[in-house]
Amino acid sequence: MPSLFDPIQLGAISAPNRVIMAPLTRGRGTKDHVPTEIMIEYYRQRASAGLIISEATGISRQGLGWPFAPGLWSDEQVEKWKPITKAVHDAGGRIVAQLWHMGRQVHSSVTGEQPVSSSATATDGQAHTYEGKKPFETARPLSLDEIPALLDDYERATRNALAAGFDGVQVHGANGYLIDEFLRDNANFRDDQYGGSVENRIRLMVEVVERVVSVAGKDRTSIRLSPNGDSQGVNDSDPAPLFTAAAKALDEIGISFLELREPGPEGTFGRTDVPKLSPEIRKVFKGPLILNSDYVTAEEAQAVIDAGTADAVSFGRTFLANPDLPARLKAGAPLNPMNPATMYSQGPEGYTDYPALETQDA
């Protein structure tokens, strides 16, 4: 079996190891969702990852409700992403852009409009806004005649990502956001061709991925899904047939890799007793499969590779606090603890000031 530190081919991307950096929202952009200079150093520091999957990045103003998160719909955003991707490449790294539409997780105080979703539903709890926490709002269903414009937004964001120097794109289809809201039956009550049957509920996901592939190519397109258990209020009554059908459709398209966020009963951020579906998905998706959620040690990651369940593992919060994570894991070195208070704050604290191992040893 391959080692966590062996190279892997992810479509057109040759990754030098299987320690993947998961997408991590950090909120260091401007209020207009433009990347900032501090982000250059943050991503450069983490270039030793086999592949960096960028923080979730908005495809449109409608779809981006997270304060200070970056987007990819304007020329200004493209220009400010360019030095970030260049810094990663100059440091020997690889980076893809994760394309994000937040669906009903958007708040109108951020976007200036009512959130949209598969159906008229709302998330429990409160949204992050520029004015602090506010109750989530009820979304309006996307109409059929709005779907083409949504696909156009994904196409534009893909073109912009490539123009900005990204090595590819990942569609965010997980975590209770728009695509997930179409996939799962406790959020999708539509009676048209995008609702009801499994075939209909995976339709938007397939159309989005096909549109992205038409620009980036299948060997530079991937997707993230969260198949087991509740995710920000989105769930499914029978997830196995749904997500195996989704994975089979993605396999037929031939995307470069599939990433699964699969929490377990002991998860730190989100937990569930719903069994992990990666073994079933593995049977129908033949491309590289990357697993995510609460992996911390090299031993934990190597175990799923040895079992044949995964080809690589993506690390999230561990990468946040350890910019040189592959070296630390390989050496069995101690890990920096994460400071939750600075996860979404502005400025360098808890962002670019986590020390590298060589600095600590000096």
Side-chain angles (χ1 to χ4, degrees):
M1 285 293 174
S3 161
L4 183 63
F5 307 103
D6 285 340
I8 183 173
Q9 196 69 30
L10 301 172
I13 298 171
S14 298
N17 61 65
R18 297 164 190 245
V19 182
I20 309 302
M21 180 172 161
L24 292 160
T25 296
R26 302 306 312 275
R28 259 66 175 193
T30 70
K31 199 168 183 178
D32 291 326
H33 307 294
V34 177
T36 56
E37 190 168 341
I38 194 174
M39 293 167 61
I40 300 172
E41 177 63 9
Y42 171 77
Y43 280 105
R44 185 201 63 76
Q45 289 176 346
R46 289 155 179 80
S48 64
L51 173 67
I52 295 173
I53 304 172
S54 83
E55 63 202 280
T57 302
I59 64 167
S60 64
R61 189 170 296 278
Q62 177 198 69
L64 185 54
W66 194 277
F68 301 109
L72 264 172
W73 64 81
S74 74
D75 291 342
E76 183 182 11
Q77 290 163 341
V78 170
E79 290 306 308
K80 294 299 184 181
W81 271 115
K82 284 181 178 179
I84 299 171
T85 60
K86 182 178 186 301
V88 171
H89 292 148
D90 287 349
R94 300 134 188 84
I95 182 170
V96 298
Q98 191 189 59
L99 305 183
W100 198 23
H101 191 300
M102 294 176 63
R104 71 182 193 180
Q105 307 290 335
V106 160
H107 195 278
S108 63
S109 68
V110 179
T111 62
E113 61 179 279
Q114 183 181 5
V116 299
S117 184
S118 54
S119 302
T121 63
T123 304
D124 291 334
Q126 294 184 309
H128 292 279
T129 78
Y130 291 113
E131 293 82 37
K133 296 290 188 71
K134 293 187 177 185
F136 283 108
E137 301 164 313
T138 300
R140 65 173 181 82
L142 271 175
S143 65
L144 284 177
D145 60 9
E146 291 178 290
I147 300 292
L150 175 69
L151 298 178
D152 289 344
D153 287 341
Y154 275 100
E155 177 176 339
R156 177 182 60 186
T158 303
R159 291 189 187 281
N160 285 345
L162 298 179
F166 285 97
D167 298 300
V169 296
Q170 182 186 75
V171 175
H172 198 336
N175 299 8
Y177 298 119
L178 183 68
I179 291 175
D180 208 18
E181 292 159 17
F182 271 79
L183 286 172
R184 299 204 266 181
D185 63 11
N186 86 328
N188 184 340
F189 304 108
R190 301 176 74 99
D191 58 7
D192 58 19
Q193 62 263 44
Y194 292 94
S197 68
V198 164
E199 180 184 11
N200 283 354
R201 283 184 282 131
I202 70 172
R203 189 182 307 277
L204 182 67
M205 178 203 75
V206 170
E207 290 179 349
V208 167
V209 171
E210 287 179 337
R211 182 64 73 89
V212 169
V213 164
S214 74
V215 176
K218 62 185 180 181
D219 58 349
R220 295 189 184 274
T221 300
S222 62
I223 190 169
R224 170 181 257 222
L225 299 176
S226 49
N228 69 310
D230 177 280
S231 190
Q232 301 194 92
V234 176
N235 211 340
D236 196 82
S237 61
D238 194 7
L242 168 65
F243 283 99
T244 52
K248 187 174 186 297
L250 294 166
D251 184 71
E252 291 171 354
I253 294 171
I255 61 172
S256 61
F257 67 88
L258 170 59
E259 184 195 15
L260 302 178
R261 180 184 178 272
E262 289 193 308
E266 306 300 326
T268 305
F269 283 71
R271 59 191 68 184
T272 179
D273 291 324
V274 178
K276 296 183 178 184
L277 291 176
S278 46
E280 296 303 311
I281 288 171
R282 186 66 149 169
K283 296 174 184 176
V284 297
F285 184 80
K286 305 306 182 185
L289 190 63
I290 299 175
L291 297 188
N292 167 263
S293 195
D294 293 301
Y295 290 96
V296 176
T297 68
E299 291 74 21
E300 292 168 339
Q302 189 64 53
V304 293
I305 293 175
D306 288 346
T309 310
D311 299 293
V313 170
S314 64
F315 295 79
R317 295 176 302 280
T318 320
F319 238 125
L320 183 156
N322 297 275
D324 55 349
L325 183 61
R328 287 178 183 265
L329 293 178
K330 192 168 187 177
L335 299 177
N336 296 321
M338 184 191 78
N339 180 2
T342 59
M343 198 164 182
Y344 307 122
S345 61
Q346 298 279 284
E349 184 182 0
Y351 189 60
T352 56
D353 62 352
Y354 286 108
L357 191 60
E358 60 188 26
T359 304
Q360 291 174 312
D361 289 344

